[in-house]
Amino acid sequence: MIRVLLAEDQHVIRGALAALLGLEPDLEIVAAVDSGDAALSAALVHRPDVAVLDIDMPGARDGLAAAAELRERLPGCRTLMLTAHGKPGHLRRALGAQVDGFLLKTAPPEDLVAGIRAVAAGQRVLDPSLAVTAWNLADNPLTPREADVLRLAASGADAAEIAARLFLGAGTVRNYLTAIVAKLNARNRTDAVRIASEAGWI
Amino acid sequence: MIRVLLAEDQHVIRGALAALLGLEPDLEIVAAVDSGDAALSAALVHRPDVAVLDIDMPGARDGLAAAAELRERLPGCRTLMLTAHGKPGHLRRALGAQVDGFLLKTAPPEDLVAGIRAVAAGQRVLDPSLAVTAWNLADNPLTPREADVLRLAASGADAAEIAARLFLGAGTVRNYLTAIVAKLNARNRTDAVRIASEAGWI
């Protein structure tokens, strides 16, 4: 029996998913909650084998934040994100949170059921429609620090502000930005931000 | 009109692919060759918009080596790998060669035609069945240098041999190996080699 926790803020969808999964003889819904905070609390009580988490949920923790914390506090629990969007940024955060699966709500119901069984068995699952997005992420030429610098530049910070935020010298930040523009074959910083955003690297 | 070069060493398959692509009013086969070497020579003469390359071909250059060299010498030519295998190592090399597309021969013919049109339009294409492989690659925690060290360790080289090959000190190599084992949560070097090989990181 695979013990499943379900976190989805939209009540109708949560009910429908619980009903769907309840039809499977090898799945048991041990909790169905409406936020990332509630998912974490419920998981620590019910110790599910798999947590199926929507990303966009209200509260202090969205689904990905809940998944990252579950990873730390309940390592035996596998996490499967079920989301409406295949945004590159979400997929990048999902990688960082080391989730086990990532499926879109457009997937057929049998894929969700198969995905739960697969992550419970220790496999990874990724929606096939996100193949190119994952491929772009794998091609990320930026180091984590370069990505930090460019993300701050994207938010409108200048070199001095980025330096202050990252406890670096302003000259160091300018060197990073020059290196980033060269790495991305970009025309300038703005172009580098566009390229990296579209690819999901920042 | 999209000008297509086709490189596939198996004659029957090459003929079948040429016939299939020839049915499309917007595709023109400008060359059909049987090796990576021939693909490169023919591309420099015929300047195709898209080179469709099998990976496993005889000669000095396999399909991926030809793609990497085409990228340098004929930047306007898009490359689409068409291969029987979705091996993680092939996908990793394809990333390194900066190919534009990667499809399996198990894909339906209309996917190949659509893939050629997509890469010609500047998009990337990845076989949906390789989504998880790409996702694993994107999660690669090793730096290129760490991957070099581990690849040599996987081939049976000890620290002294790896040091000689990479022009490093033996102590530096041992430090790399310790860091790699920690990064991969591996039990030892052998376990690190297994984890990294299965994920396609080396």
Side-chain angles (χ1 to χ4, degrees):
Chain A
M1 205 68 167
I2 301 171
R3 297 163 52 79
V4 178
L5 177 145
L6 180 61
E8 160 67 57
D9 60 316
Q10 297 178 54
H11 200 155
V12 169
I13 297 179
R14 186 167 72 247
L17 288 170
L20 174 77
L21 300 178
L23 293 175
E24 300 298 322
D26 58 336
L27 304 185
E28 181 191 358
I29 306 284
V30 297
V33 298
D34 64 359
S35 72
D37 300 333
L40 189 66
S41 318
L44 294 173
V45 173
H46 296 286
R47 311 187 81 79
D49 300 307
V50 177
V52 178
L53 306 166
D54 185 26
I55 291 183
D56 291 310
M57 291 189 291
R61 295 179 187 86
D62 69 1
L64 282 169
E69 208 162 330
L70 270 176
R71 179 92 196 170
E72 291 290 319
R73 298 177 62 180
L74 200 63
C77 175
R78 309 285 176 175
T79 49
L80 175 58
M81 311 312 298
L82 182 65
T83 173
H85 315 286
K87 294 178 196 164
H90 276 171
L91 201 57
R92 180 172 44 75
R93 282 185 59 210
L95 270 183
Q98 295 188 277
V99 307
D100 300 289
F102 196 109
L103 288 179
L104 295 185
K105 289 179 180 171
T106 51
E110 55 268 30
D111 284 12
L112 173 59
V113 172
I116 291 172
R117 290 186 185 123
V119 299
Q123 294 161 21
R124 295 188 105 180
V125 170
L126 179 63
D127 200 288
S129 69
L130 298 173
V132 169
T133 309
W135 171 247
N136 280 334
L137 286 183
D139 209 12
N140 184 358
L142 302 177
T143 65
R145 178 44 67 97
E146 287 169 345
D148 290 342
V149 168
L150 193 59
R151 207 174 297 122
L152 286 168
S155 73
D158 63 17
E161 289 163 330
I162 297 171
R165 287 281 291 277
L166 298 179
F167 304 103
L168 296 170
T172 305
V173 167
R174 276 189 291 270
N175 288 343
Y176 271 121
L177 287 166
T178 304
I180 291 165
V181 167
K183 263 191 182 179
L184 301 183
N185 285 318
R187 287 187 304 277
N188 50 43
R189 285 178 201 179
T190 311
D191 194 37
V193 166
R194 181 192 59 79
I195 291 169
S197 302
E198 287 178 1
W201 297 332
I202 59 170
Chain B
M1 205 70 168
I2 301 171
R3 297 163 51 80
V4 179
L5 176 146
L6 179 62
E8 160 66 58
D9 60 317
Q10 297 177 54
H11 200 154
V12 169
I13 298 181
R14 185 168 71 248
L17 288 170
L20 174 77
L21 300 179
L23 293 176
E24 301 298 322
D26 58 337
L27 304 185
E28 180 191 359
I29 307 285
V30 296
V33 299
D34 63 0
S35 71
D37 299 333
L40 189 65
S41 317
L44 295 174
V45 173
H46 296 287
R47 312 186 81 79
D49 300 307
V50 177
V52 177
L53 306 166
D54 185 27
I55 291 182
D56 291 309
M57 291 189 290
R61 297 178 186 86
D62 70 1
L64 283 169
E69 208 162 331
L70 270 177
R71 179 93 196 169
E72 292 291 318
R73 298 178 63 180
L74 200 62
C77 174
R78 309 285 176 176
T79 50
L80 174 59
M81 311 312 298
L82 182 66
T83 173
H85 315 286
K87 294 179 194 164
H90 277 171
L91 202 57
R92 179 171 45 74
R93 281 185 61 211
L95 270 182
Q98 296 187 275
V99 307
D100 300 289
F102 196 109
L103 288 180
L104 295 185
K105 289 180 181 170
T106 51
E110 54 269 30
D111 284 13
L112 172 60
V113 173
I116 290 172
R117 290 186 185 124
V119 299
Q123 295 161 21
R124 293 189 108 181
V125 170
L126 180 63
D127 201 289
S129 69
L130 298 174
V132 168
T133 308
W135 171 248
N136 281 334
L137 286 183
D139 208 11
N140 184 358
L142 302 178
T143 65
R145 179 42 69 96
E146 288 169 344
D148 289 342
V149 168
L150 193 59
R151 206 174 298 123
L152 286 168
S155 72
D158 63 17
E161 289 164 330
I162 297 171
R165 288 281 292 277
L166 298 179
F167 304 101
L168 296 170
T172 305
V173 168
R174 275 189 292 271
N175 288 344
Y176 271 122
L177 287 166
T178 304
I180 291 165
V181 167
K183 264 191 182 180
L184 301 184
N185 284 320
R187 288 187 302 279
N188 49 44
R189 286 178 200 179
T190 311
D191 194 35
V193 166
R194 181 192 58 78
I195 292 168
S197 302
E198 287 178 0
W201 298 333
I202 60 171

